[in-house]
């Protein structure tokens, strides 16, 4: 069973709903350990004042450690709908860490037809467009085999 690091923004209700939908799909997947899906939003080092230096350090260390412990990183690309196609910088940092550590990266996109940066398209193992049955496909994807599934989106 594969351990997942779920990267993605969680700063508003819509973003948290997307995270919840992806978690639900992953928990239905027979090749995922549903008890080992790491959610940064649930690990915010609450013993420290939010945004203080000790809090920043604790969150950074916990999240980077968990990326390296994961068998796969699943990343939600959507960030702010009104700001075009730019994904969350923290999510992209985590994706870059995974790529460097040779941990497979699965990208999930909720907004249809967005352009994908070539650095992301070349580093991913699989891409799921939620508008094209993506969450159902994510719940059925074999994370043991990690079949390559590339994006049909335009590359920038």
């Amino acid at each position: 069973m594969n351990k997942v690091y779920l990267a993605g923004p969680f700063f508003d209700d819509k973003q948290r709903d997307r995270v919840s939908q992806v978690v639900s799909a992953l928990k239905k997947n027979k090749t995922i350990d549903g008890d080992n899906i790491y959610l940064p939003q649930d690990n915010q080092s609450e013993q420290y004042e939010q945004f203080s230096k000790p809090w920043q350090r604790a969150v950074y260390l916990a999240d980077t450690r968990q990326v390296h412990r994961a068998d796969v990183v699943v990343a939600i690309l959507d960030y702010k709908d009104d700001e075009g196609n730019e994904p969350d910088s923290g999510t992209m940092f985590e994706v870059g860490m995974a790529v460097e550590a040779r941990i497979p990266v699965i990208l999930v996109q909720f907004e249809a037809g967005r352009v994908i940066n070539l650095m992301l398209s070349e580093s991913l193992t699989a891409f799921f467009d939620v508008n094209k049955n993506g969450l159902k496909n994510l719940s059925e994807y074999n994370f043991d085999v990690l079949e390559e599934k590339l994006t049909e989106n335009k590359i920038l």
Side-chain angles (χ1 to χ4, degrees), residues 71-132:
D71 297 309
V72 62
V73 169
V74 175
I76 300 170
L77 289 178
D78 307 272
Y79 182 36
K80 294 183 179 179
D81 296 332
D82 59 343
E83 292 187 20
N85 201 40
E86 218 38 54
D88 170 57
S89 58
T91 301
M92 293 304 94
F93 179 86
E94 293 156 340
V95 166
M97 282 184 59
V99 170
E100 181 61 25
R102 298 193 184 328
I103 297 166
V105 173
I106 310 299
L107 300 180
V108 177
Q109 189 166 46
F110 283 78
E111 297 296 325
R114 297 265 174 113
V115 174
I116 304 294
N117 180 283
L118 75 90
M119 299 303 281
L120 294 175
S121 70
E122 289 300 312
S123 64
L124 62 84
T125 300
F127 179 87
F128 293 96
D129 181 340
V130 173
N131 293 292
K132 295 181 181 174

Side-chain angles (χ1 to χ4, degrees), residues 55-65 93 97:
W55 175 86
Q56 292 173 37
R57 188 75 184 151
V59 169
Y60 171 82
L61 290 173
D63 290 355
T64 56
R65 182 174 41 255
F93 179 86
M97 282 184 59

Side-chain angles (χ1 to χ4, degrees), residues 3-146:
K3 297 181 300 278
V4 173
Y5 183 100
L6 180 52
F10 52 90
F11 308 112
D12 64 31
D13 290 339
K14 187 172 186 177
Q15 293 166 356
R16 285 186 291 276
D17 181 58
R18 289 173 175 158
V19 169
S20 179
Q21 290 180 56
V22 172
V23 168
S24 292
L26 290 170
K27 285 188 175 196
K28 292 176 188 170
N29 190 301
K30 295 176 183 162
T31 61
I32 294 297
D33 181 349
D35 294 327
N36 274 304
I37 300 172
Y38 182 84
L39 301 170
Q41 71 192 44
D42 292 344
N43 295 279
Q44 288 293 299
S45 298
E46 293 175 1
Q47 69 270 32
Y48 301 112
E49 180 183 341
Q50 191 174 32
F51 303 115
S52 68
K53 189 61 179 169
W55 175 86
Q56 292 173 37
R57 188 75 184 151
V59 169
Y60 171 82
L61 290 173
D63 290 355
T64 56
R65 182 174 41 255
Q66 292 301 321
V67 167
H68 286 104
R69 288 182 177 166
D71 297 309
V72 62
V73 169
V74 175
I76 300 170
L77 289 178
D78 307 272
Y79 182 36
K80 294 183 179 179
D81 296 332
D82 59 343
E83 292 187 20
N85 201 40
E86 218 38 54
D88 170 57
S89 58
T91 301
M92 293 304 94
F93 179 86
E94 293 156 340
V95 166
M97 282 184 59
V99 170
E100 181 61 25
R102 298 193 184 328
I103 297 166
V105 173
I106 310 299
L107 300 180
V108 177
Q109 189 166 46
F110 283 78
E111 297 296 325
R114 297 265 174 113
V115 174
I116 304 294
N117 180 283
L118 75 90
M119 299 303 281
L120 294 175
S121 70
E122 289 300 312
S123 64
L124 62 84
T125 300
F127 179 87
F128 293 96
D129 181 340
V130 173
N131 293 292
K132 295 181 181 174
N133 211 17
L135 288 177
K136 181 178 185 299
N137 290 341
L138 185 64
S139 66
E140 296 173 354
Y141 181 73
N142 189 333
F143 283 85
D144 292 333
V145 175
L146 292 165

